[in-house]
Amino acid sequence: MDLQLTDKKALVTGSTAGIGFAIASLLAQEGASVVVNGRSPQRVEEAVRRIRGDKKDAQVTGVAADLGTKEGVGLLTGKVPAVDVLVNNLGIFEAKPFPDITDEDWLRFFEVNVLSGVRLSRFYLPQMLHKNWGRVVFISSESGLNIPVEMIHYGVTKTAQIALARGLAETTAGTNVTVNSVLPGPTRSEGVGQFVKDLAKGQGTDPATVEAEFFRTARPTSLLKRFETPEEVAAIVVYVCSPRASATNGAALRVDGGVVRSIV
C-alpha cells in the first residue's frame, strides 16, 4: 500500500533510539522528509546516519534539543518552523514506589511526557488547521489504561496524553487534520533491553528467562507473551500519520499485544 507520505514533513520527538527511531526510519522509507530529535548532538547525528544507511535517498535531518524544557521547544521550533506530521514520542519512565516519588519527580515526568507534546502541538496544530491538513500522534502506553503500581507517575502522564489527544482532536472537527494516541504494550526499547540484560546478569540467568517471568507475573494478561519490537509499534504509527488514515481521529489505538483485557 502506498501510504502517500512522499513530500510530507514529519517531526518525531525522542527519535534517536527505540520506538521513536523506528517511527522516523519507517517514515523516511515511506518517502516522508523526517526530522530526528534527541538531546545529544552525537546521538542525533548517529540516528540520521543510520536512517540514511538504510535508505540512501532518505530525506532526514536532525535537531538536538531538550524538549522537556520550554527553551528546548523554542530552539526546535525556531529551526523547524512547519511540519505536516508531529509525532510526540518523547517520554521517560522509571520504576519507583509511590511513597518515594517526590514532587520534583512528578513535575519532571509531567514536563517531559506531557508538556513537551502540549507545547509542540500548540505551535504546529494551528498551522495544520490553517492549511487544512496535518497529523498529530501521541505515543502513550497501555500503562495509561492499566496504571502500573511500580511507576504510578509514569502511568498518570500516559493517561494525560490520551486525554490531551482526544481534546485536541475535538478542535479539528470538519477538517483534514487528525489527532490520535497510540498505546504500545511492553516494548523492547533500548532501555528495556538493557534492563532485562542487567536483571538477568544479577539473577544469574538469561534474558529469555527474565522476559518469560515478566509476562508470567507482571503482565500476565499479555496475549503476545513477549516484548514487542519498536518496528511493530512503528507500523501502526506511520499508517496513522498517513493520508490513508483520514477517518481515524480522536482515537486511542492499542498496539499492546493484548495486555488490556477489553473488547474496545
Side-chain angles (χ1 to χ4, degrees):
M1 179 184 291
D2 177 9
L3 292 183
Q4 302 174 352
L5 282 163
T6 301
D7 298 327
K8 299 295 186 187
K9 185 163 187 174
L11 166 63
V12 185
T13 67
S15 50
T16 60
I19 292 173
F21 177 81
I23 294 168
S25 180
L26 188 53
L27 282 168
Q29 290 176 37
E30 289 294 329
S33 172
V34 179
V35 179
V36 171
N37 159 257
R39 290 181 300 174
S40 161
Q42 293 76 22
R43 296 264 292 180
V44 170
E45 290 168 8
E46 175 59 25
V48 169
R49 282 195 296 269
R50 287 174 60 196
I51 293 173
R52 287 177 178 162
D54 292 336
K55 189 177 190 295
K56 295 189 185 303
D57 60 345
Q59 301 178 63
V60 56
T61 57
V63 176
D66 182 358
L67 302 183
T69 67
K70 185 177 181 179
E71 295 74 19
V73 171
L75 172 63
L76 184 142
T77 54
K79 293 185 176 182
V80 186
V83 297
D84 301 296
V85 175
L86 169 63
V87 181
N88 290 305
N89 170 74
L90 177 64
I92 55 175
F93 74 96
E94 67 176 346
K96 185 177 265 192
F98 176 73
D100 297 337
I101 305 172
T102 65
D103 287 358
E104 290 74 21
D105 290 332
W106 279 102
L107 290 169
R108 178 169 61 94
F109 267 70
F110 193 81
E111 186 149 41
V112 174
N113 291 3
V114 182
L115 277 182
S116 61
V118 168
R119 289 165 174 153
L120 289 168
S121 299
R122 189 166 56 206
F123 183 84
Y124 291 117
L125 183 57
Q127 300 178 25
M128 296 178 184
L129 292 171
H130 179 73
K131 65 185 178 184
N132 197 31
W133 201 93
R135 298 286 184 264
V136 179
V137 182
F138 287 83
I139 307 304
S140 179
S141 168
E142 55 86 16
S143 292
L145 302 179
N146 294 334
I147 307 296
V149 68
E150 71 274 12
M151 46 183 177
I152 292 173
H153 53 335
Y154 170 77
V156 168
T157 61
K158 292 294 153 178
T159 305
Q161 286 183 310
I162 298 169
L164 175 59
R166 178 65 208 193
L168 291 179
E170 295 291 335
T171 72
T172 70
T175 74
N176 292 313
V177 180
T178 67
V179 185
N180 296 285
S181 56
V182 172
L183 284 59
T187 304
R188 189 177 289 283
S189 63
E190 186 178 57
V192 170
Q194 189 58 52
F195 175 77
V196 170
K197 289 179 182 177
D198 292 343
L199 194 59
K201 185 177 180 180
Q203 295 177 353
T205 185
D206 59 272
T209 300
V210 170
E211 182 171 345
E213 180 64 15
F214 174 82
F215 285 98
R216 189 181 71 82
T217 59
R219 296 293 187 276
T221 58
S222 170
L223 303 179
L224 198 58
K225 296 300 181 187
R226 63 167 174 82
F227 289 112
E228 300 168 46
T229 67
E231 290 75 20
E232 288 173 318
V233 178
I236 191 169
V237 175
V238 172
Y239 166 72
V240 173
C241 290
S242 77
R244 297 285 190 183
S246 55
T248 302
N249 195 9
L253 301 162
R254 289 164 42 202
V255 54
D256 64 338
V259 170
V260 179
R261 299 188 72 181
S262 171
I263 61 173
V264 294

